[in-house]
Amino acid sequence: MDMTTDLTAVGDTGLLDTLQHEVALFARRAEQTRLGGVGQVRNSMDRAAYLLLNRLDKEGPMGVKALAASMGIDSSTVTRQVAPLVDTGLVKRTSHPEDGRAVVLQLSPRGKSRLEEVRSSRRQLMAELTQDWAPEEREQFCALLTRFNGALSARMSVQPEDRPAS
């Protein structure tokens, strides 16, 4: 059974219309504010930089190809996005310990400090935006948003010819 057809044929199209509209609004508002946080740190780090620094912090030093693969983007995109991070001292380029010709990207101490400032500011923003939510509502929203992002990521990894017709 084709789940896409099934959902739109028997599902509540009004609910699906509302969902797609709310996702579009969320994307626009998130980009407008960059969900940058509060205070002096607000809007001080773009999305690409934040995601790259976050990945290097969580997964440790890695090459451009590995970083690109882990983020689901092209190596040339990573190279372009990481250049200003190297220039500003947030990321260090070092030689691979086993293959001196290969480059390894690593979060610098300055990058780690800057990332924590931004994380702290963004945590404060999330706390403010959800201050009147019950803890269970925050957990449920986080779980559903994680699940939604996972579904989007999985869909993006499917080859275009394998995707259902829109």
Side-chain angles (χ1 to χ4, degrees), residues 141-158:
F141 182 71
C142 189
L144 290 171
L145 191 55
T146 299
R147 184 174 170 189
F148 186 81
N149 280 329
L152 280 175
S153 181
R155 179 168 174 81
M156 288 174 51
S157 69
V158 173

